[in-house]
Amino acid sequence: MFIALISDIHSNLEALKVVWREVKRADVILCMGDLVGYGPNPNEVVEFVRREMERRDFLCVRGNHDNAVAFGLDWGFNPYAREAVRWHQRVMSVENLEFLRRLPVRQLFTDDTGRSYLLIHGSPRAPLDEYLFPWLPDSEFRSVLGYVRQDDLLVGHTHMPMLRLIDGRRIINPGSVGQPRDGDWRASYALIDTEEPPENVHFHRVEYDVEETARKIVEAGLPRFLAERLFEGY
Ligand code: ZN
């Protein structure tokens, strides 16, 4: 069985489309949240996701940006992010906002080998907000896994690809589709082949039309910084 992992699309339709071409052949697609925020195409991204969810195995959880846009809770957001949240609330359709409100904060998945997964945007200790950065020590990940009954934990939120193996259990972050922050501007996703050993999680990067996304961000009147950062992978 092939499992595709995606996260943090952030209203970037160009990045989503190129990643989709590569992940759509997987048996299931798991998304760790933040469909919206920052980028110029929230309605198009949410409608794409809604459509695909109706016709295939595709699970998605709510991220902190989805939450902020859907419920207006943007405390703790930097000024750029907050401005983008307000813009999203103005341009998004009622149906698409309602879809974000209904996204679960946690999702469970079990693969064909019986291995179980918990999907959560940030961390089980603070589902929407805690960052599980790749440089945290094993002791921190061990403590986080104390809150997880499933074998593996799938997260997003940091926009940095990561695989940590702790006592045979995995914490995986596929990186960000729409706004990578590891210095590589290309859209990020991950693939798992359940016939392979657990340490074989395949991380992929794919080029997309970043100029077009940046142009749309500026055209929408969103902060210019949100366009510039896409070229830097930050
Ligand atoms: Zn995010």
Side-chain angles (χ1 to χ4, degrees):
M1 175 183 217
F2 285 97
I3 305 170
L5 309 179
I6 63 174
S7 189
D8 296 274
I9 300 162
H10 284 298
S11 304
N12 187 333
L13 187 64
E14 287 73 31
L16 174 60
K17 280 185 170 167
V18 297
V19 166
W20 201 261
R21 277 207 295 270
E22 307 206 359
V23 301
K24 67 182 180 194
R25 283 182 298 271
D27 297 290
V28 60
I29 297 170
L30 306 178
C31 173
M32 275 64 76
D34 273 359
L35 300 178
V36 302
Y38 297 125
N41 286 113
N43 284 310
E44 293 80 357
V45 165
V46 168
E47 279 154 23
F48 187 100
V49 166
R50 286 172 60 187
R51 206 165 47 239
E52 291 296 335
M53 268 181 182
E54 279 169 22
R55 63 182 190 208
R56 58 162 304 141
D57 284 335
F58 181 12
L59 299 178
C60 189
V61 293
R62 195 194 317 151
N64 61 319
H65 284 258
D66 304 324
N67 199 64
V69 169
F71 296 105
L73 296 168
D74 59 2
W75 51 270
F77 276 51
N78 68 51
Y80 306 107
R82 182 169 292 131
E83 202 176 323
V85 166
R86 302 268 155 79
W87 180 83
H88 276 63
Q89 289 170 328
R90 282 201 305 276
V91 302
M92 285 189 75
S93 73
V94 173
E95 294 76 16
N96 289 337
L97 287 170
E98 187 58 28
F99 174 81
L100 294 179
R101 287 185 196 112
R102 280 200 301 260
L103 281 176
V105 169
R106 301 151 49 94
Q107 288 263 33
L108 302 177
F109 176 72
T110 304
D111 72 20
D112 59 341
T113 70
R115 199 173 178 103
S116 55
Y117 304 79
L118 171 66
L119 288 70
I120 213 157
H121 183 63
S123 122
R125 300 190 293 203
L128 294 174
D129 297 310
E130 186 181 7
Y131 290 92
L132 296 180
F133 286 113
W135 51 80
L136 293 174
D138 279 2
S139 57
E140 199 61 37
F141 285 104
R142 207 164 265 123
S143 151
V144 163
L145 284 174
Y147 295 84
V148 179
R149 293 174 61 188
Q150 292 69 30
D151 296 309
D152 294 344
L153 173 63
L154 306 177
V155 297
H157 197 37
T158 66
H159 299 206
M160 292 179 190
M162 172 182 81
L163 167 65
R164 293 295 282 261
L165 264 165
I166 308 280
D167 308 325
R169 302 171 73 191
R170 296 180 291 190
I171 301 153
I172 308 169
N173 187 328
S176 169
V177 170
Q179 195 200 74
R181 290 183 196 156
D182 61 343
D184 182 343
W185 64 274
R186 296 172 301 164
S188 185
Y189 71 94
L191 276 178
I192 294 172
D193 176 350
T194 57
E195 288 184 5
E196 291 185 28
E199 61 272 23
N200 290 12
V201 175
H202 303 277
F203 293 92
H204 296 273
R205 302 305 279 257
V206 46
E207 295 189 2
Y208 71 96
D209 192 349
V210 61
E211 310 261 356
E212 174 69 0
T213 310
R215 188 189 60 74
K216 288 196 222 168
I217 287 174
V218 173
E219 205 164 77
L222 286 160
R224 189 169 282 272
F225 167 69
L226 296 178
E228 289 162 358
R229 70 187 300 176
L230 293 180
F231 295 94
E232 310 297 323
Y234 174 69

